[in-house]
Amino acid sequence: MDSMSRLSTSQCTKVFIHRDFSDGTGVRFQNKFPQELEGKIDRATLERTINTINEIYGEAEALSGRTYCESCFACLTAYMAYLCMDTYYEKCLKRIARYVDEQNKTVYVPHGLMMVDPVERGLRVLEICILNDPQHR
């Protein structure tokens, strides 16, 4: 368990950035700046983070020779190959988790915020907790 997941998010104000379904059902989050974060984080910083997360999800869901070969290999091994290797999608999910953790350490926690890995919310929303909210002290 990493250091950022030890911070409690149960007693904080939560801000949600919802999925963007305008281009289909692929995992993509809206780039709208939530009003609750005004003055807490720079718009460009949040937008850059969301764009990076969206790009990685786009890579994860893209069809390529790699994913085609991975699927064929899995089929040939009766999907036993997945017992000893991560899929490309799983590798991308781990990459997003590392990115969110790194962003929390360097950008968000120093500003009194913490971003939650979208996988922890079922890929429905991107959650940002306001840690230094006077309402919850």
Side-chain angles (χ1 to χ4, degrees):
M1 188 176 252
D2 58 44
S3 61
M4 289 298 119
S5 55
R6 284 188 223 123
L7 290 172
S8 174
T9 61
S10 61
Q11 298 296 319
C12 68
T13 300
K14 297 174 184 196
V15 178
F16 299 102
I17 298 171
H18 296 277
R19 291 264 303 265
D20 179 2
F21 292 102
S22 63
D23 288 334
T25 58
V27 179
R28 181 169 188 76
F29 296 97
Q30 297 174 353
N31 255 339
K32 292 182 187 171
F33 188 82
Q35 186 178 2
E36 299 90 346
L37 298 180
E38 195 68 51
K40 297 183 184 336
I41 191 92
D42 181 49
R43 285 177 185 262
T45 302
L46 181 63
E47 188 174 306
R48 192 170 35 253
T49 301
I50 294 171
N51 287 339
T52 301
I53 290 171
N54 285 341
E55 286 172 17
I56 298 171
Y57 277 117
E59 289 174 25
E61 295 177 348
L63 295 176
S64 66
R66 177 185 186 145
T67 56
Y68 176 77
C69 289
E70 180 181 280
S71 297
C72 288
F73 180 66
C75 188
L76 290 172
T77 62
Y79 295 91
M80 298 291 276
Y82 289 148
L83 295 174
C84 57
M85 69 177 232
D86 288 337
T87 64
Y88 182 67
Y89 192 84
E90 290 169 328
K91 289 176 185 177
C92 287
L93 290 180
K94 288 178 183 180
R95 197 167 116 206
I96 289 170
R98 285 190 308 270
Y99 177 72
V100 168
D101 187 50
E102 179 263 324
Q103 287 293 292
N104 277 331
K105 288 176 185 171
T106 60
V107 178
Y108 292 94
V109 171
H111 285 94
L113 304 169
M114 188 178 84
M115 185 174 288
V116 177
D117 185 352
V119 169
E120 293 182 32
R121 300 297 175 257
L123 300 177
R124 294 169 297 137
V125 294
L126 188 58
E127 180 181 320
I128 300 174
C129 296
I130 302 173
L131 302 174
N132 299 343
D133 193 5
Q135 287 179 315
H136 293 92
R137 284 193 170 198

